[in-house]
């Protein structure tokens, strides 16, 4: 390797058939034994589905709209990422062991890889799902800037990998359906990114009701303002600019890139869209789960 060459990106490691970032896979045995507390709240998503957005919303609800309290630490410390493990940044599992309870916990794990204690403990869960086409586009740009992932290749190559589920955290289809099928077995609120974009205040109210917080229109309005894409994009405690550039290179693509619904139309060719639609129909057959690809 040349002295100034980029370090080689690690290949995916497969855990129970699910592709994982290598350093994340290395800590999964440790993660498996994690004991959740009944008062903890799990925020779960497939990557690039509004995780940071919803985490900031919930942290502001917990802190009763106190923006200063939400600015003391970056989001990945306020809402530790359960399976996160990258050299130079605190591991999610270590942050969670030290976190005062109850706490917020983030994960991208599919249902089958989530530690058993989550299913055995009466803790609440919020899942956020985003339409597959926008996720694919957003994930492609994220793969480029977040160097813990394998090289994404061309957009066409990445789209094929996405449809096959041959990417970090596995199949989008299996992920959203797996959590959808669990939603009535546990205290779970299943939200949609498109609904949040369409009417943030309505969805924030829904979250507050789920968390058994009293209705408060002024608080809802304040949270909606401070968690708008424009505000989040410039918030250094939410936009991941505090992560070393060797891990996330924002000069390639910002972590918070567009935050819109329907951006897939700017990336998919007609042929790609037709192929994707046919494959989507096959993979989503039989589920009651439906998405909007534009609002």
């Amino acid at each position: 390797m040349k002295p100034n060459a980029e370090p080689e990106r690690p290949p995916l490691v497969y855990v129970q058939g699910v592709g994982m970032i290598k350093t994340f896979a290395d800590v999964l045995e440790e993660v498996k034994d994690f004991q959740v507390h009944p008062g903890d709240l799990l925020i779960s998503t497939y990557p690039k589905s509004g995780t940071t957005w919803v985490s900031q919303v919930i942290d502001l609800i917990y802190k009763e709209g106190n923006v200063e309290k939400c600015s003391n630490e970056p989001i990945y410390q306020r809402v530790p990422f359960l399976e996160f493990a990258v050299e130079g940044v605190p591991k999610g599992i270590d942050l969670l062991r030290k976190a005062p309870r109850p706490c917020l916990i983030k994960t991208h794990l599919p249902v089958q890889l989530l530690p058993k204690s989550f299913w055995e403990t009466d803790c609440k869960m919020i899942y956020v799902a985003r339409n597959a086409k926008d996720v694919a586009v957003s994930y492609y740009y994220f793969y480029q800037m977040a160097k813990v992932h394998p090289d994404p290749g061309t957009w066409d190559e990445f789209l094929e990998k996405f449809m096959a589920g041959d990417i970090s955290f596995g199949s989008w289809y299996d992920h959203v359906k797996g959590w959808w099928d669990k939603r009535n077995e546990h205290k779970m609120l299943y939200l949609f990114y498109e609904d949040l974009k369409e009417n943030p205040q309505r969805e924030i109210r829904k979250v507050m009701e789920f968390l058994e917080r009293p209705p408060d229109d002024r608080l809802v309005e304040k949270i909606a303002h401070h968690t708008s894409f424009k505000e989040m994009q410039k918030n250094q405690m939410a936009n991941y600019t505090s992560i070393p550039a060797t891990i996330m290179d924002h000069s390639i693509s910002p972590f918070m890139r567009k935050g819109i619904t329907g951006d897939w139309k700017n990336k998919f060719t007609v042929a790609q869209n037709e192929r994707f639609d046919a494959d989507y129909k096959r993979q989503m057959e039989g589920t009651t789960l439906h998405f909007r690809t534009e609002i």
Side-chain angles (χ1 to χ4, degrees), residues 170-226:
S171 163
W172 173 90
Y173 306 90
D174 292 348
H175 205 286
V176 296
K177 289 188 293 183
W179 283 91
W180 179 253
D181 291 345
K182 285 277 192 184
R183 76 194 187 284
N184 294 324
E185 297 173 27
H186 295 271
K187 289 180 181 173
M188 188 189 299
L189 178 63
Y190 199 106
L191 298 172
F192 293 91
Y193 184 96
E194 295 73 28
D195 294 346
L196 277 153
K197 288 302 297 182
E198 182 180 62
N199 191 332
Q201 293 197 19
R202 177 192 64 206
E203 299 305 299
I204 291 167
R205 285 190 187 93
K206 202 182 283 184
V207 172
M208 286 176 68
E209 187 181 343
F210 178 70
L211 297 175
E212 298 171 71
R213 301 291 167 125
D216 185 334
D217 286 346
R218 286 181 67 184
L219 179 60
V220 168
E221 197 175 320
K222 185 177 184 181
I223 291 172
H225 167 72
H226 285 287

Side-chain angles (χ1 to χ4, degrees), residues 46-73:
Y46 190 80
K48 309 316 294 174
S49 301
T51 330
T52 306
W53 183 14
V54 170
S55 296
Q56 187 77 354
V57 165
I58 294 167
D59 196 33
L60 276 163
I61 291 171
Y62 271 47
K63 290 169 180 159
E64 296 175 345
N66 190 319
V67 177
E68 288 69 36
K69 281 188 181 176
C70 291
S71 304
N72 294 339
E73 296 176 307

Side-chain angles (χ1 to χ4, degrees), residues 17-167:
V18 176
M20 292 292 294
I21 292 163
K22 186 185 183 303
T23 50
F24 290 22
D26 291 344
V27 297
L28 277 190
E29 274 303 308
E30 214 180 330
V31 166
K32 191 172 74 174
D33 297 326
F34 176 73
Q35 288 299 312
V36 69
H37 289 225
D40 293 344
L41 176 69
L42 181 70
I43 301 163
S44 175
T45 67
Y46 190 80
K48 309 316 294 174
S49 301
T51 330
T52 306
W53 183 14
V54 170
S55 296
Q56 187 77 354
V57 165
I58 294 167
D59 196 33
L60 276 163
I61 291 171
Y62 271 47
K63 290 169 180 159
E64 296 175 345
N66 190 319
V67 177
E68 288 69 36
K69 281 188 181 176
C70 291
S71 304
N72 294 339
E73 296 176 307
I75 192 78
Y76 54 85
Q77 291 184 332
R78 287 180 282 125
V79 186
F81 183 2
L82 178 62
E83 63 272 20
F84 181 86
V86 175
E87 195 176 339
V89 184
K91 280 197 306 188
I93 193 82
D94 291 343
L95 289 172
L96 285 165
R97 286 194 185 114
K98 293 182 289 189
R101 296 321 238 266
C103 69
L104 302 176
I105 304 165
K106 164 188 164 178
T107 190
H108 288 318
L109 292 173
V111 288
Q112 69 272 28
L113 294 183
L114 193 71
K116 278 184 182 174
S117 72
F118 283 93
W119 305 120
E120 294 166 352
T121 306
D122 200 23
C123 72
K124 288 185 174 181
M125 303 176 178
I126 292 180
Y127 187 84
V128 190
R130 186 184 191 185
N131 81 81
K133 290 179 181 179
D134 280 331
V135 169
V137 172
S138 185
Y139 213 1
Y140 173 63
Y141 286 103
F142 185 57
Y143 245 70
Q144 291 181 54
M145 69 86 76
K147 298 174 181 181
V148 291
H149 298 102
D151 192 296
T154 65
W155 161 240
D156 197 58
E157 288 166 344
F158 184 81
L159 190 59
E160 290 297 326
K161 287 176 191 166
F162 182 90
M163 289 190 285
D166 193 18
I167 50 177

